[in-house]
């Protein structure tokens, strides 16, 4: 029981620190660049899989 409460408290503290870090003024531009890069990578990979699927390559 104490272990579960400790894990729950640790989860909340970690989530709080992560949210505070993500929404700090210094990190906003960095997070925006990361999300933009991730979106481009996901679009590129989906386009690659679409082209391979149209070419008949099954993965």
């Amino acid at each position: 029981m104490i272990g579960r409460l400790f894990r729950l408290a640790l989860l909340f503290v970690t989530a709080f620190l992560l949210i505070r870090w993500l929404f700090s003024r210094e990190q906003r531009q960095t997070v925006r660049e990361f999300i933009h890069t991730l979106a481009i990578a996901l679009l590129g990979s989906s386009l690659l899989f679409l082209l391979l699927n149209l070419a008949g390559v099954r993965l």
Side-chain angles (χ1 to χ4, degrees), residues 1-41:
M1 177 93 174
I2 298 295
R4 290 180 187 167
L5 289 175
F6 177 72
R7 282 186 279 176
L8 183 64
L10 187 63
L11 176 69
F12 282 139
V13 168
T14 305
F16 173 74
L17 291 175
L18 181 67
I19 289 170
R20 202 173 96 186
W21 177 75
L22 284 175
F23 290 109
S24 69
R25 290 182 183 169
E26 303 89 36
Q27 292 299 327
R28 283 185 189 161
Q29 187 65 28
T30 305
V31 171
R32 187 176 297 133
E33 290 172 1
F34 173 73
I35 291 173
H36 185 259
T37 304
L38 182 64
I40 290 174

